[in-house]
C-alpha cells in the first residue's frame, strides 16, 4: 500500500518535471503603451495557468503576471513606456509547479510620433484606395455610357442607311424612265416623233 502511494507521488513529480516551456512566444498589436504577448503549448501538458514576466532591458525591476485556471494563450501588457525595449518570458503552471521560462522575446515600443505617422499613412493609404475604387467605378460608368452612345449612333446610321438604300434604286429607275421618254441621243430636245416648229 505504501509502495503505491510513493509511486503515485513519483509519477506526479515526473509529470511536473516534464512540463515544457511555452513555444512560439510572439508580440502582437504593439502600441505605444500596450502590447499583447501570445504563445503555444505542447498537447498533453497538464497546464492550469501561465506566468508572464516583463522586464525593461538593462533594468533589474520586472513585472510578474500570473494567471491560473485559464486556457487563454495570450496576455495584455499595459502601462509600457514609449520607445523602450522590453524582454518577456512565459512559463506554464501546473498543479505541481511551473515550467522553465520560454526563450526570451524582446521588443521595442514605438514612439508616439511614429505611431501617429503610421496611423496617418494608413489613413492616406485607405483614402487613396477609396479614391482608386471611385475612379474605377467612374471610369466604368463613362465607358458604358460611351459604348451605349456608340451603339445608338451605329443603329441610327444603319436605319438611315437602309432608308437611303431603299429610296435610291427607285430614284434611279424614275430618272432613267424620264430621261429616256423625253430625249434621245440624236434629239436631245425631244423624242424621235417630235419636231421643232
Amino acid at each position: 500500500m505504501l509502495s503505491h502511494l510513493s509511486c503515485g507521488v513519483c509519477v506526479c513529480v515526473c509529470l511536473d518535471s516534464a512540463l515544457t516551456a511555452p513555444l512560439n512566444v510572439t508580440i502582437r498589436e504593439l502600441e505605444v503603451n500596450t502590447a499583447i504577448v501570445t504563445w503555444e503549448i505542447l498537447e498533453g501538458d497538464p497546464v492550469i495557468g501561465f506566468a508572464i514576466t516583463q522586464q525593461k532591458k538593462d533594468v533589474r525591476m520586472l513585472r510578474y503576471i500570473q494567471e491560473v485556471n485559464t486556457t487563454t494563450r495570450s496576455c495584455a501588457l499595459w502601462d509600457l513606456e514609449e520607445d523602450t525595449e522590453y524582454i518577456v518570458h512565459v512559463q506554464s503552471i501546473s498543479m505541481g509547479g511551473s515550467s522553465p521560462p520560454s526563450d526570451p522575446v524582446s521588443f521595442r515600443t514605438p514612439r508616439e510620433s511614429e505611431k501617429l505617422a503610421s496611423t496617418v499613412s494608413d489613413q492616406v493609404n485607405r483614402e487613396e484606395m477609396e479614391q482608386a475604387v471611385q475612379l474605377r467605378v467612374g471610369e466604368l460608368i463613362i465607358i458604358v455610357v460611351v459604348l451605349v452612345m456608340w451603339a445608338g449612333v451605329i443603329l441610327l446610321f444603319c436605319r438611315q442607311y437602309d432608308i437611303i438604300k431603299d429610296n435610291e434604286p427607285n430614284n434611279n429607275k424614275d430618272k432613267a424612265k424620264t430621261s429616256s421618254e423625253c430625249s434621245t441621243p440624236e434629239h436631245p430636245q425631244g423624242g424621235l416623233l417630235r419636231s421643232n416648229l
Side-chain angles (χ1 to χ4, degrees):
M1 190 97 176
L2 189 58
S3 64
H4 284 297
L5 286 174
S6 62
C7 185
V9 171
C10 178
V11 169
C12 183
V13 170
C14 290
L15 281 175
D16 285 339
S17 65
L19 194 62
T20 57
L23 308 168
N24 300 326
V25 179
T26 55
I27 302 296
R28 297 185 179 174
E29 300 180 30
L30 183 60
E31 301 288 334
V32 175
N33 302 112
T34 60
I36 294 179
V37 59
T38 62
W39 60 87
E40 297 173 3
I41 62 168
L42 291 178
E43 288 294 323
D45 278 354
V47 176
I48 62 164
F50 300 96
I52 298 97
T53 56
Q54 162 198 327
Q55 177 184 2
K56 285 184 192 178
K57 191 174 183 180
D58 302 327
V59 177
R60 297 238 179 236
M61 290 179 52
L62 60 90
R63 176 184 287 166
Y64 184 78
I65 305 166
Q66 184 172 356
E67 295 188 9
V68 292
N69 297 327
T70 181
T71 57
T72 305
R73 305 287 188 268
S74 65
C75 179
L77 306 176
W78 68 96
D79 201 24
L80 304 176
E81 295 178 13
E82 70 173 296
D83 194 27
T84 304
E85 192 162 349
Y86 288 91
I87 300 171
V88 172
H89 295 87
V90 181
Q91 290 176 282
S92 296
I93 300 173
S94 70
M95 293 297 285
S98 58
S99 73
S102 66
D103 292 333
V105 174
S106 63
F107 66 94
R108 178 177 286 277
T109 55
R111 292 182 179 151
E112 185 74 34
S113 58
E114 291 173 358
K115 195 63 183 172
L116 287 175
S118 68
T119 304
V120 168
S121 68
D122 288 345
Q123 288 175 350
V124 168
N125 288 340
R126 275 192 226 116
E127 289 174 3
E128 287 176 355
M129 286 175 52
E130 289 172 3
Q131 287 176 352
V133 168
Q134 289 174 354
L135 282 175
R136 288 185 196 135
V137 170
E139 290 170 356
L140 285 174
I141 291 171
I142 290 171
I143 289 170
V144 168
V145 168
V146 168
L147 288 175
V148 167
M149 288 177 59
W150 271 107
V153 168
I154 290 170
L155 287 173
L156 184 63
F157 174 77
C158 290
R159 186 172 176 199
Q160 292 298 326
Y161 180 75
D162 285 342
I163 293 170
I164 293 169
K165 186 175 147 189
D166 289 343
N167 289 336
E168 192 173 281
N170 292 340
N171 288 342
N172 288 342
K173 288 178 186 175
D174 290 342
K175 286 180 185 176
K177 278 185 180 179
T178 309
S179 62
S180 64
E181 288 175 357
C182 296
S183 63
T184 61
E186 295 97 11
H187 303 284
Q189 297 291 327
L192 293 172
L193 300 175
R194 293 187 183 176
S195 60
N196 290 336
L197 294 174

